[in-house]
Amino acid sequence: IQSIEHRANLDTIEIEGIPLIDLSLSHTTDINLLVSEIGNACNNWGFFQVINHGVPLELLEKIKVAAKTFFDQPMEEKRKVKRDEVNPMGYYESEHTKNVRDWKEVFDFLIKDPTFLPASPELEDDEMRTLSNQWPENPPQFSLLMFAREVCQEYARELEKLGYKLLELIALSLGLPSNRFNGYFEDQLSRMRLNHYPPCPCPELALGVGRHKDAGALTIVTQDDVGGLQVKRKSDGVWVPVKPTSNALVINVGDIIQVWSNEAYESVEHRVVVNSERERFSIPIFFFPSHYVMVKPLEELVNEGNPPKYKPYNFGKFNAARYRSNFKKLEVQNIQISDFKII
């Protein structure tokens, strides 16, 4: 149950939504316009939707079927691939955001399998550990789940290509070479998630996901037609619904781009509200750099008049601290980029 000040107002209101951007432009003059639109959306909202993004539309439908196929299994089957402190990939039904349990269940898997991550967040500890995906083996609906696995892997490959394209457009919008960010993702820790939000008997008290910002560089989400994602508008703090748009993908910049851009672009709070009538599915992919990347403001974007606003931090160690906190209710807030802010 959320504290009173963080509960959602479920009254339906018409309000201007986040920008909708067409990625199909191809000519030089059009690319300049597209880059400008991307920059304005990142600056003003931190969120936007894209259409004509190149991801096959039938694949968008298949990934939603794959999510439903997995979550429709009996609980005992889902728990056979439950994640734990040894392997944080797999199924989980008791995730907390801001120390309040979310009204959702998830299934996480890595884009690169296996993936290597520091074993602990301690800076002096050089030990590495290997993360691998967990997939259901020989469940009652084996053929259906094999289909779901293949669709998830195909979807991840397509979204990875789109992610690089968007990172290039964001780099250009900051006045940087298009490939400026690419090298940070050679051994990426990126992961994909299937989200299921069941109907909630008291949607005015709970949230599917509480208010938060994304710790990675970029997040790309496909959602069904139910709706529930809300973005905290930068200009006035109003929670704005992200209206489902046919065949569109929702994009948001994360904390890492906020640091790289030295706050030219800001990672924005968002949350998910639930309802008492319909289940909802969403599938985000979180673009995380390699474990050895030191995240800091890019030297091209800082100068005497605009000094660095953050101290460098190692993303692998940062990520290890976040994973560890998934399995205990903290008395303090999880590690944040604000911990590295230069006052």
Side-chain angles (χ1 to χ4, degrees):
I1 295 176
Q2 296 285 329
S3 58
I4 292 174
E5 67 271 25
H6 297 305
R7 295 176 191 171
N9 178 1
L10 300 178
D11 293 337
T12 302
I13 53 173
E14 285 298 322
I15 194 168
E16 180 188 2
I18 63 174
L20 179 66
I21 298 176
D22 188 334
L23 294 185
S24 64
L25 307 177
S26 57
H27 301 296
T28 304
T29 53
D30 291 336
I31 289 175
N32 292 335
L33 175 61
L34 177 57
V35 167
S36 176
E37 288 181 347
I38 294 283
N40 288 335
C42 290
N43 180 62
N44 297 327
W45 284 90
F47 266 81
F48 52 97
Q49 294 195 75
V50 294
I51 55 173
N52 294 319
H53 38 66
V55 179
L57 302 184
E58 62 270 20
L59 189 55
L60 295 183
E61 295 309 310
K62 284 182 179 179
I63 193 65
K64 294 167 191 171
V65 172
K68 184 167 177 57
T69 298
F70 176 80
F71 290 117
D72 277 353
Q73 294 181 98
M75 182 59 74
E76 61 267 23
E77 290 296 328
K78 291 184 281 191
R79 285 180 173 162
K80 288 178 181 178
V81 288
K82 186 170 182 177
R83 74 188 196 193
D84 54 34
E85 292 190 59
V86 175
N87 187 356
M89 294 299 116
Y91 174 74
Y92 204 56
E93 80 279 30
S94 56
E95 192 164 69
H96 289 66
T97 303
K98 307 294 186 190
N99 280 330
V100 180
R101 185 169 171 175
D102 297 329
W103 191 271
K104 73 174 191 292
E105 54 181 344
V106 306
F107 180 80
D108 289 338
F109 65 95
L110 299 159
I111 303 304
K112 292 203 167 194
D113 185 15
T115 287
F116 303 98
L117 183 76
S120 81
E122 280 71 45
L123 295 177
E124 65 278 3
D125 186 353
D126 293 331
E127 184 182 353
M128 299 294 291
R129 66 170 172 151
T130 303
L131 299 184
S132 298
N133 289 330
Q134 295 191 83
W135 299 101
E137 293 184 9
N138 302 319
Q141 315 108 297
F142 181 70
S143 60
L144 272 176
L145 281 157
M146 283 301 293
F147 156 79
R149 174 177 175 172
E150 291 166 4
V151 168
C152 286
Q153 292 170 326
E154 181 184 358
Y155 184 79
R157 288 191 295 270
E158 288 292 331
L159 268 288
E160 185 180 16
K161 290 190 288 188
L162 176 60
Y164 276 112
K165 179 179 179 178
L166 289 165
L167 286 168
E168 289 174 357
L169 290 167
I170 291 170
L172 289 170
S173 75
L174 289 165
L176 301 167
S178 62
N179 64 352
R180 181 62 176 88
F181 299 134
N182 293 14
Y184 293 127
F185 295 87
E186 289 179 7
D187 298 302
Q188 59 183 293
L189 302 180
S190 302
R191 60 185 171 87
M192 185 168 144
R193 164 170 286 186
L194 309 179
N195 280 319
H196 176 227
Y197 304 95
C200 177
C202 300
E204 71 280 2
L205 299 179
L207 288 170
V209 183
R211 73 200 190 284
H212 68 285
K213 299 181 180 183
D214 289 350
L218 195 68
T219 305
I220 304 177
V221 184
T222 185
Q223 60 174 340
D224 60 20
D225 62 350
V226 175
L229 177 62
Q230 295 184 340
V231 175
K232 193 172 186 179
R233 188 162 55 193
K234 289 175 61 176
S235 60
D236 56 11
V238 169
W239 286 102
V240 176
V242 176
K243 185 177 180 181
T245 301
S246 180
N247 300 325
L249 294 167
V250 181
I251 318 296
N252 66 283
V253 298
D255 290 346
I256 290 177
I257 284 183
Q258 178 170 320
V259 174
W260 280 342
S261 71
N262 207 33
E263 294 188 353
Y265 297 156
E266 183 183 348
S267 177
V268 172
E269 273 195 327
H270 49 289
R271 67 185 184 185
V272 174
V273 300
V274 286
N275 71 83
S276 60
E277 298 176 359
R278 295 183 65 189
E279 63 181 349
R280 176 179 181 262
F281 297 93
S282 71
I283 300 95
I285 182 168
F286 303 98
F287 285 91
F288 294 158
S290 311
H291 69 83
Y292 44 78
V293 167
M294 293 299 295
V295 181
K296 61 182 180 178
L298 300 179
E299 52 193 41
E300 304 99 304
L301 301 179
V302 299
N303 52 49
E304 192 172 327
N306 182 32
K309 295 181 171 68
Y310 295 90
K311 296 176 286 187
Y313 64 92
N314 176 272
F315 185 70
K317 294 293 186 182
F318 181 94
N319 209 33
R322 300 281 285 226
Y323 274 143
R324 176 176 290 185
S325 71
N326 281 339
F327 301 96
K328 60 180 106 175
K329 188 165 182 173
L330 302 178
E331 297 304 319
V332 295
Q333 180 172 256
N334 203 343
I335 188 171
Q336 306 286 334
I337 58 167
S338 56
D339 297 327
F340 304 94
K341 178 90 173 181
I342 298 173
I343 306 300

